[in-house]
Structure formats: C-alpha cells, structure tokens
Amino acid sequence: MGRIFPLLLCLLLGTQAAVADAKALKDRLKDIKKAWPKAPKSERLEWLTELGLESERTVDDFLLELVEKEADFDTAGEAAKALVAHKLAKDGKDLLKLYNRCKEPQRRAACVRWLGGYGAEAPLRELKDVALTDDGSAAAAALALIDAGGTEGLKQLDTVAQISKSADARRLAVGGLLKHGDRRGIDGLSKLAGIEDASFAAHFAVGGALETDALSEVLKFAKKRVNLGVGVRPHLFGSLLSRLTRKESHQAIFEARDTIDKSVDMELFSWLFSYCACGVDVKLALGALGRSEPDEILLGLRWLQRAPKALEGDELARTAEALLPLLNSDSDKLAGHALLAAAAAGVRGEAFQGRLSAWLADKERPQRRSAALLAAAKGKLPECKQAALDLLADDCWYVASAALEYVLALRLPEGAPLAFALARRQGDGRLFHEAMALLADLTGVDFGDDLAKWEQWFSANPNFKPAEGKLATLRGAKVTRTAKKTRARFYGLEIDSENVEFAIDRSISMIDPVTREPRRPDFKARKADVLKRRAEVNRLVRDGFLPRFHVAACEIAAALDGMNEKAKFGITLFNTESVMMGDKRVVNDLESRRNALSWLLSSEIKGGTDIKAALCVLCERGEADTILVLTDGDPLSLALIEQVQRSNAFTRVNIEVVSLHAKEQWRHYLDTVARLNAGRLVEAEPK
C-alpha cells in the first residue's frame, strides 16, 4: 500500500495538470477566435503555428473549420498543416472527407498537401488517387507522397510518375523518387515532356547516389534540338549542370560534349570552361587563350586552373608557350589567372618564377600577394615556404587566408604555431575559424575553440608530425564551439564573421509584401519601430506584412545587434546600380547601428536587378571577408556566375545567400553561388 499511494498521487497530479493545460488551451483559443475576424494574415499565421503545437478537441475543430471556410487558401493550407502536426489519425481522415466536399482546387490542395506528415500511417492510396487526376490538387498530393516516403509511399509515387494526368504531379513524382534514391525515378525521367521537365526532376538527385544516372537521362534530351521559344534559355538544365557534385557526373558531360546539340551550346560551353572538374580539353582551352578579348582568354585560363594533374609532353609545351605572354601581361587580372593556370598545369620556367617571386614580395597590392600564395599552394611549391609563413601575419585578411591555404597544402608543421598566434589575435571570425581548422587538420586532434588546451598540446608536442590531411580547403570551415554562445543571425543564418557586408536587393520587386515573417522573437517590436519611424511605409503594408525591403532592414538591425561591437560592417544596396552606405566600412557600435537603420529606411526602392555587377565589385574590393546577400536571383546564368567567380579568385570572399526566389531556376543558381563560395542558401520566406 505504501508504494501504491505515491503512484496514485502522481497519476492524480498528472491528470490535474493535463486538465489545467487543456483549459489554458481552450481559453487561448477563445481569445484567438474573438480576434480572428479583424486580424491581419500575418497574425493569423502566427496563431496557427501556435495552435499546431498541441491538440485539443475544440482546437482541432477550429482548424478543420478554417480549412473548409477560410477565404485565403494559403491560410487554409497552414491550418491543415497545424492540424497534421498533432499527429492524430482522426484529423487526417477528416481532411480527406473535407477534400471530397470541397469545390475549389486550391482548397482541395490544402486538404491533402500536408498528409505526408503521417509517414507510413498517411492515407497513401488516397493520395495516389488524387495525384493521378488532372485536378489542381494533384501536385499537392504528389508532394505529400514525397513527404511520406517509405516502401509503400514510393510505390504509389511510382504509379503517379507513370500515369498521372497532371504534368506537374508526374515530374514531382519522378523527382521524389530520385530524392529518396529510388531507381524507378530514372525510368520516369525518360517519359517526361522535355529537357526542362527532366532537369526539374533531376535536381532532386543532386548530391545523391543517383545523380549521375539522372544526369545521363537528361543528356539524352540535350542531344536533341531544344526549342523553348525565342530568347528562352533552358535555365533548369543550366542550373542543374552548375550544381553537380559527383566526379562521375562531370565525366559524363565531358565525354558526351561532342554529341550534345548546338541548341544548348551556350550552357555546355559555359559549363566546360567554368565548372568542369574532371579534365581539360587542352585544344579548346588554348583556343580561348589565343583570342583577343580578355573575357575569352580568362575562360581558357579558368579551365586550365582546374586541371586535375600536371600536363605532359606536347600539351604541356603548347600550354607553356600560350601562357608566356599572359604571365608577362600588364593586366593584373590576366597575369594572376595565368599564374594559377600555370601552377595547376605544371608550367614552370623563368616567367612563372619571376612573376611569382615579385608578387609574393609586393607590399603595395595585396591581391598580388594573395594570387601568388594561391598559385604556390596549387602547385605545392616548397620554395615559397618562408614567404608564406611570413605572410601569415599580413594585415590584409585575404592574404593571411591564402597563406593558411599554403600551409594546409604543403602540410607544414612549422606553420602551426604561427596559425595559432593568428587565431589568438583574431579571437573570432572567419580567419579564426580557418586557423583553428588548419590546426585540427595538421595535428589530427581537435580542441575546438579552447585556446588553453591547444596551448598545452603544443607545449607537450613541439615536434609533432603532420597527420594525414582531410580538408581540401579551409574556406567555410567551422571551429567546434566548446561553450554555448548566442550568435548573430540573418534570416536564420548564423554569422561566423566579424567583417561582413550586407548586399541587399533594392529593385522594384522588393516593395512587394513578404508572405511569411522572420521567426525571431523580437521581430514584432522591430516591425513596429519601422512603422513608427517611417509612417509612409504603412501604406505599403498588405495583410499585416511589411514590404520585403523593410523586413530586410529589420533583419540587418537584428543581426548587427547580435554581433560583436568591435566587428566591422558595410551595407550595399543594388538594383541595376550599387549604392554603398558611406565611403568606408564602420565599427559596429551603437551609433553606427542606428545610422545604418536610418539610412536603410530612407533609401529608394526602384529599378531592375543586376546581382552579378554588385557581387563582382564587392569581391574585387575584398574589404569584407563575408557577404550576406538577399535577392530573388533574377537574372543569373552559368556565364554570369562565372564572372562572379573570376572576380573572387584572389580575394575568395565567402558568400552567404538568402533567397527570395520566384522560380526554381533562380533558386538553383543562387544555391550554386553559395556553394562555390563557401556559403549556405536559406529561404527568406519558407513555407
């Protein structure tokens, strides 16, 4: 009896707590229902997120009623999402019953879109039946099947891929199979309508085991004439090429290059010269070096820079001859890229060594020092060791970063104490992360950011031998944090730099209201502050949502508040032209933060977008070590991204991307920009 009583007491207390929680939830629901009719959509979506956290009968009934009657289909869909989040089978059945009663395809789509959240318990056959129709809800049902996954879910998805009447559902189903690594998706690719539909689906395979097989099916379409209309390029195909990660995928394109139709030559040759990582067509590359236009010459140099190993025999001799005048060029851009190309191709000689030595010692132009260090690292040239060790203490961040890369490439143990000293001076930020990552890679041990433990280890192991390396580059490396620390964030991206540039799209599309607000606790207060300081912005608010540009201003202000007060920052606004805040970068003190927000809120929003020009200028300046860019990515292409890459070759600025994508291809291109520049891509308005 003595043991039973405490157990009964616990059960009683638990029941009382559950009753109290249910009552609190009912009371909260009453408040929400009372305010709902006059509330803007922004608040309604926030409440739906709250109601999705816990189930209760009256809450479930309210959510189901919203799915059925809410005039805004997007809000109805969010209500269905909140209902499914409760994970109660009854709710799923109720949504299916509601689907059969609804007339509008958008509302039917809301009923089925999130049912995949039940996983193996999802109504898979019913979702398949919906996805097989030509109804406007078919694509939503296909997405739900992708979410559900599992053996049975993929079986139903395969049926959709084969015989659905909806083209959108078919290509989503094929993509979903590829995403889950199911080879039936490869068969489905060949049955899609054309190269863009096949490329859309193949994007789901990028980075996975089926990437190369999916690409091979897409290349079959590329061997036929592609005609999408006057002036319309196959951007889904182009962006697919830019995102490929597997060596076998690169090899497949390289080997098929002579069989691909001329209608996609623009995409093929842009990829070969700027992205191909499996080999060099020396004849094509040298042909570009023989042109008169610098841009065409740079294409050839950029391809040679990616040579997987040194050239030999006649190819080496012809390449050395072609590079000679470029190594002696008066243009720093041509000479610098020629240095990198020569290092990768195995070209040496007086012109190469002379330019390399002169630039390593050039105290006036940091990009020369950086280019020489990167060439020495690429060629693993031991004769540059002392210069590289000395340049670890360079005042220019990207020169010190390039010196770290040299130490990594040549596995120099004598560089470890100098890298440790650099990390200690930095304290945090990009160079700190790179220096600490170098130490972990060289030593084979990892004490994260614990400098005291590192100091003890070096004292105990002064003559350590370098471990086998794991890192190909230090760019993007993140040190292991040994203590919890609140980090500054920009649209959810954690900022690891103490030297940033915010590059914000200010084209006319940025006046459009957002569809989702950032999920940060203080956003409401920042939003209210913007509306108070700029009363005219109230006229631009729709459904309670601020314009995109003003949400960006709130995010910048929040990011700066979270950053170290000793950090440096700048802001660039771009449309078809770029405007910088002031004539120099500023320290992140309170006054600078206030001035930055005032400047942003007084800026004009207008014009088109030229993201390439803005990024090229910022990369060539190299003042910030990290760019945080917010844009919709339109327009971008393989060729435009290449121009950004060559502008960033010597400074190697990291680029983090926040996407406001309207179409898949722009988001995919933005993903490529981030990936090639040690950054990440996040959505500004995730749904």
Side-chain angles (χ1 to χ4, degrees):
M1 185 67 181
R3 294 182 178 179
I4 295 176
F5 180 75
L7 180 60
L8 291 173
L9 181 60
C10 288
L11 289 172
L12 177 61
L13 292 175
T15 302
Q16 290 176 338
V19 170
D21 289 344
K23 184 178 184 304
L25 193 56
K26 287 180 179 179
D27 291 342
R28 177 62 180 142
L29 178 61
K30 288 179 182 178
D31 294 338
I32 291 174
K33 291 175 74 172
K34 183 178 180 180
W36 187 274
K38 295 183 179 180
K41 181 179 177 179
S42 59
E43 287 193 40
R44 291 180 174 185
L45 294 184
E46 189 176 336
W47 292 336
L48 290 176
T49 300
E50 181 183 346
L51 293 177
L53 298 176
E54 192 173 348
S55 176
E56 196 277 329
R57 184 183 59 79
T58 58
V59 170
D60 296 351
D61 290 345
F62 175 65
L63 292 173
L64 194 64
E65 182 182 0
L66 288 178
V67 179
E68 182 176 13
K69 298 180 180 179
E70 173 61 42
D72 178 68
F73 297 125
D74 184 35
T75 303
E78 287 298 307
K81 183 179 180 181
L83 194 60
V84 172
H86 297 159
K87 301 296 184 184
L88 297 179
K90 174 184 176 299
D91 295 334
K93 293 177 181 178
D94 288 341
L95 284 170
L96 279 177
K97 291 177 183 177
L98 182 57
Y99 171 87
N100 292 321
R101 296 202 305 269
C102 292
K103 303 298 182 184
E104 311 101 314
Q106 301 98 318
R107 196 176 304 281
R108 289 198 294 270
C111 291
V112 298
R113 169 60 188 92
W114 303 106
L115 291 178
Y118 291 108
E121 303 302 317
L124 302 174
R125 291 187 179 181
E126 290 85 350
L127 287 171
K128 179 259 296 180
D129 290 340
V130 174
L132 289 177
T133 69
D134 59 358
D135 185 74
S137 60
L143 286 168
L145 285 171
I146 294 173
D147 292 343
T151 302
E152 185 62 25
L154 296 181
K155 176 184 175 182
Q156 305 299 344
L157 204 58
D158 181 45
T159 302
V160 176
Q162 298 293 332
I163 61 173
S164 175
K165 296 178 181 178
S166 165
D168 287 341
R170 282 200 309 276
R171 68 177 192 165
L172 278 169
V174 173
L177 290 168
L178 295 173
K179 178 181 179 180
H180 285 284
D182 191 314
R183 291 200 61 84
R184 287 174 290 190
I186 301 297
D187 297 331
L189 278 170
S190 63
K191 299 174 183 177
L192 293 176
I195 192 170
E196 287 291 81
D197 276 0
S199 296
F200 170 89
H203 272 285
F204 285 80
V206 170
L210 296 180
E211 177 187 285
T212 305
D213 291 337
L215 170 68
S216 297
E217 291 298 322
V218 174
L219 290 178
K220 292 178 182 178
F221 287 97
K223 294 175 182 179
K224 305 172 186 176
R225 180 162 181 77
V226 175
N227 185 4
L228 303 177
V230 178
V232 180
R233 300 306 309 169
H235 282 301
L236 283 169
F237 174 63
S239 57
L240 174 66
L241 299 186
S242 76
R243 295 182 66 225
L244 297 171
T245 62
R246 300 177 72 88
K247 182 179 179 181
E248 297 85 353
S249 300
H250 284 242
Q251 190 68 37
I253 304 174
F254 188 72
E255 292 176 354
R257 65 190 186 280
D258 293 331
T259 65
I260 292 178
D261 191 80
K262 292 183 178 180
S263 57
V264 291
D265 268 358
M266 185 180 297
E267 287 70 30
L268 172 64
F269 282 97
S270 289
W271 181 85
L272 284 171
F273 280 98
S274 305
Y275 299 85
C276 177
C278 67
V280 179
D281 186 322
V282 175
K283 182 179 179 180
L284 278 177
L286 296 187
L289 298 191
R291 302 292 182 88
S292 58
E293 288 296 322
D295 280 347
E296 294 178 338
I297 295 171
L298 284 167
L299 281 175
L301 292 173
R302 291 274 293 157
W303 197 353
L304 287 171
Q305 289 168 21
R306 297 192 307 281
K309 61 181 181 179
L311 302 178
E312 298 176 345
D314 181 60
E315 287 188 339
L316 176 60
R318 288 189 291 121
T319 301
E321 182 181 358
L323 287 176
L324 181 60
L326 298 173
L327 288 167
N328 292 319
S329 172
D330 292 333
S331 164
D332 274 14
K333 179 172 283 190
L334 287 177
H337 280 283
L339 265 182
L340 293 174
V347 173
R348 301 297 181 260
E350 185 177 339
F352 174 78
Q353 296 293 350
R355 179 70 76 168
L356 189 71
S357 299
W359 279 21
L360 283 171
D362 192 313
K363 298 186 182 302
E364 300 299 321
R365 302 185 189 182
Q367 287 204 26
R368 288 184 170 184
R369 300 195 295 278
S370 178
L373 283 167
L374 294 172
K378 189 179 286 288
K380 296 186 177 180
L381 306 178
E383 62 267 28
C384 301
K385 180 174 75 172
Q386 191 55 54
L389 294 176
D390 292 341
L391 290 173
L392 282 170
D394 200 281
D395 290 336
C396 177
W397 73 264
Y398 56 79
V399 175
S401 177
L404 289 170
E405 293 287 359
Y406 179 89
V407 175
L408 176 75
L410 276 79
R411 316 296 299 161
L412 300 177
E414 55 265 60
L418 297 173
F420 181 69
L422 173 61
R424 188 185 290 280
R425 289 195 303 273
Q426 294 293 317
D428 205 346
R430 174 175 168 177
L431 280 180
F432 176 83
H433 280 273
E434 291 183 358
M436 300 309 291
L438 171 64
L439 295 182
D441 200 64
L442 277 180
T443 62
V445 298
D446 187 0
F447 300 114
D449 61 355
D450 192 329
L451 298 183
K453 285 188 177 180
W454 276 110
E455 192 165 26
Q456 292 172 8
W457 190 89
F458 282 123
S459 296
N461 301 274
N463 300 313
F464 77 93
K465 293 183 178 180
E468 184 177 351
K470 297 180 180 179
L471 295 178
T473 179
L474 298 172
R475 280 186 78 188
K478 300 289 186 290
V479 69
T480 303
R481 296 287 183 184
T482 57
K484 290 184 178 180
K485 184 178 180 181
T486 302
R487 312 295 298 172
R489 292 181 181 274
F490 182 64
Y491 286 94
L493 275 174
E494 186 175 291
I495 300 175
D496 295 309
S497 171
E498 300 277 274
N499 179 19
V500 302
E501 183 78 19
F502 296 93
I504 308 300
D505 192 331
R506 64 159 182 158
S507 63
I508 194 64
S509 64
M510 292 297 287
I511 208 168
D512 294 338
V514 297
T515 58
R516 296 293 186 276
E517 292 182 337
R519 292 181 178 176
R520 61 165 69 245
D522 61 353
F523 179 75
K524 275 191 172 181
R526 294 184 184 279
K527 175 180 174 180
D529 182 54
V530 166
L531 294 173
K532 181 179 178 181
R533 295 172 66 163
R534 289 290 183 271
E536 65 274 15
V537 176
N538 282 278
R539 299 196 305 270
L540 304 175
V541 173
R542 298 291 182 272
D543 290 323
F545 292 118
L546 284 176
R548 289 171 164 179
F549 184 83
H550 297 89
V551 171
C554 293
E555 280 293 301
I556 290 175
L560 293 175
D561 285 347
M563 289 173 62
N564 190 318
E565 288 202 347
K566 295 180 180 179
K568 289 186 177 181
F569 75 93
I571 303 175
T572 296
L573 304 180
F574 64 90
N575 43 31
T576 51
E577 298 177 344
S578 294
V579 177
M580 299 185 69
M581 183 187 73
D583 55 0
K584 62 180 180 180
R585 301 167 58 68
V586 296
V587 176
N588 186 38
D589 55 32
L590 181 59
E591 182 180 2
S592 295
R593 296 199 295 273
R594 287 174 175 169
N595 291 341
L597 183 58
S598 296
W599 181 76
L600 281 167
L601 295 180
S602 63
S603 299
E604 191 174 4
I605 308 168
K606 62 179 182 179
T609 308
D610 190 349
I611 181 176
K612 180 267 299 180
L615 289 179
C616 284
V617 169
L618 292 174
C619 289
E620 287 176 356
R621 284 179 178 164
E623 294 175 349
D625 62 39
T626 301
I627 298 171
L628 296 157
V629 59
L630 171 72
T631 183
D632 59 12
D634 181 6
L636 274 177
S637 66
L638 290 168
L640 292 177
I641 294 174
E642 161 59 17
Q643 292 186 47
V644 175
Q645 292 309 106
R646 69 176 64 157
S647 296
N648 203 21
F650 309 141
T651 53
R652 302 186 315 133
V653 178
N654 290 350
I655 303 177
E656 306 272 24
V657 180
V658 180
S659 168
L660 289 163
H661 70 91
K663 296 181 179 179
E664 289 89 353
Q665 62 262 33
W666 307 133
R667 176 167 52 84
H668 292 321
Y669 281 135
L670 288 172
D671 178 59
T672 298
V673 171
R675 181 176 53 81
L676 293 178
N677 294 285
R680 297 156 291 179
L681 173 81
V682 297
E683 303 291 344
E685 302 169 31
K687 294 187 179 181

